[in-house]
Amino acid sequence: DVKVTQSSRYLVKRTGEKVFLECVQDMDHENMFWYRQDPGLGLRLIYFSYDVKMKEKGDIPEGYSVSREKKERFSLILESASTNQTSMYLCASSKRSSYNSPLHFGNGTRLTVT
Amino acid sequence: KQEVTQIPAALSVPEGENLVLNCSFTDSAIYNLQWFRQDPGKGLTSLLLIQSSQREQTSGRLNASLDKSSGRSTLYIAASQPGDSATYLCAVRPSGGSQGNLIFGKGTKLSVKP
C-alpha cells in the first residue's frame, strides 16, 4: 500500500512566521503535489513536482514555495504566514510513467495562522 | 476551461439503500476520471479510476461508470452502510497539459442513517 505521510496533523502559527509543511511518500513516486482545501472552494493545486529539484506552479502559488531535494520528500514553505493561509493542506503522490496512475493522498495538515 | 460539478452537495439515505452519486464535466477530452472518499478532517482515499477508454470500474459494493461523450460519471454504492458516510469527490485529468493538471469537483457529502 502506498503511504503518504504528512508530518503534522495540526499546526498553529503566528502571522509573519516562516512555516514548513513536510510530506514523505514510500512508493518511489516521481510526482508529488501540494493542495489546499477550503470550504466552498474545493481543492486547489499550489505546486507540483515531477522529479527531484523540479517544480511547476499550480493555480495558487502566491505566498508559497516548495523544496524537493530527495525523491521521497516534498516540502511546502509559507515564507511569511498570513491569516488567509489558514486552511487544510493536503500532499499527494503518483507515478509519472502513466497519466492513468491514481493519486494517493496523505491525511492532511490543518494549519491555523493567528 | 474544464469544470467539474457534483450535484447534490449533500445526500442523506437510510441504511441498505442503493444510491448513485453524480459527477459532470464540461470538456470530454480527458485521460481519466477518479473517485475519492474523504472522511471528516482526513485526506482523500482513492476509490476507483476509470480510463477514458473504459466504461466502468468495480470494487466491492462500488461501481463507477463513465460516459465521456456526455461528460458524466456516476458512482453507484450498493446496500449502503453507516460506514459509507463521507464526502465523495470526483476529479478528471484533462488531455494535454502536465500531470499536475487534475480538476476536482467540490464533492457530495453522503450521510447513511442507521
Side-chain angles (χ1 to χ4, degrees):
Chain A
D1 259 4
V2 176
K3 190 151 187 173
V4 180
T5 303
Q6 294 183 233
S7 55
S8 304
R9 290 298 311 278
Y10 301 95
L11 273 180
V12 180
K13 297 292 181 180
R14 292 192 182 273
T15 302
E17 275 193 78
K18 190 168 186 176
V19 181
F20 293 85
L21 303 184
E22 306 287 347
C23 176
V24 176
Q25 50 92 7
D26 66 358
M27 283 301 291
D28 203 36
H29 284 171
E30 295 85 0
N31 297 334
M32 295 189 76
F33 308 80
W34 275 107
Y35 290 89
R36 65 177 281 178
Q37 185 178 31
D38 301 287
L41 296 176
L43 272 86
R44 293 178 291 169
L45 181 65
I46 305 171
Y47 267 100
F48 157 57
S49 169
Y50 53 91
D51 206 343
V52 174
K53 297 190 188 294
M54 307 305 288
K55 62 185 179 186
E56 283 187 15
K57 291 180 180 179
D59 300 319
I60 50 164
E62 297 78 20
Y64 302 94
S65 62
V66 290
S67 173
R68 184 107 181 259
E69 296 296 320
K70 292 186 177 181
K71 190 175 185 180
E72 67 271 17
R73 186 179 296 270
F74 192 33
S75 303
L76 179 69
I77 303 153
L78 286 65
E79 298 292 343
S80 176
S82 64
T83 55
N84 64 12
Q85 292 178 311
T86 291
S87 187
M88 171 71 110
Y89 290 87
L90 294 165
C91 175
S93 73
S94 71
K95 289 186 67 64
R96 192 176 70 201
S97 56
S98 167
Y99 275 86
N100 289 313
S101 172
L103 216 59
H104 298 272
F105 281 84
N107 266 332
T109 296
R110 183 162 295 282
L111 173 67
T112 302
V113 183
T114 62
Chain B
K1 182 187 170 190
Q2 178 75 268
E3 291 183 4
V4 179
T5 304
Q6 293 184 250
I7 295 173
L11 181 65
S12 181
V13 300
E15 182 178 3
E17 195 164 292
N18 301 327
L19 61 101
V20 173
L21 305 179
N22 297 298
C23 173
S24 61
F25 47 97
T26 54
D27 188 338
S28 62
I30 63 170
Y31 281 117
N32 59 59
L33 184 144
Q34 195 167 358
W35 281 94
F36 296 89
R37 168 189 173 134
Q38 185 175 30
D39 293 296
K42 298 280 185 70
L44 280 67
T45 299
S46 178
L47 296 174
L48 291 164
L49 182 147
I50 313 176
Q51 299 179 29
S52 62
S53 58
Q54 298 174 327
R55 293 295 298 232
E56 63 179 60
Q57 282 284 336
T58 298
S59 175
R61 293 183 294 108
L62 306 179
N63 176 278
S65 69
L66 175 65
D67 184 341
K68 230 178 44 159
S69 60
S70 68
R72 293 178 186 276
S73 176
T74 61
L75 180 67
Y76 174 83
I77 303 177
S80 59
Q81 304 169 359
D84 295 329
S85 297
T87 297
Y88 291 81
L89 295 95
C90 66
V92 299
R93 187 181 296 285
S95 301
S98 77
Q99 289 199 13
N101 193 17
L102 198 68
I103 312 298
F104 284 84
K106 291 189 170 66
T108 294
K109 186 175 182 179
L110 174 66
S111 177
V112 181
K113 304 292 188 187

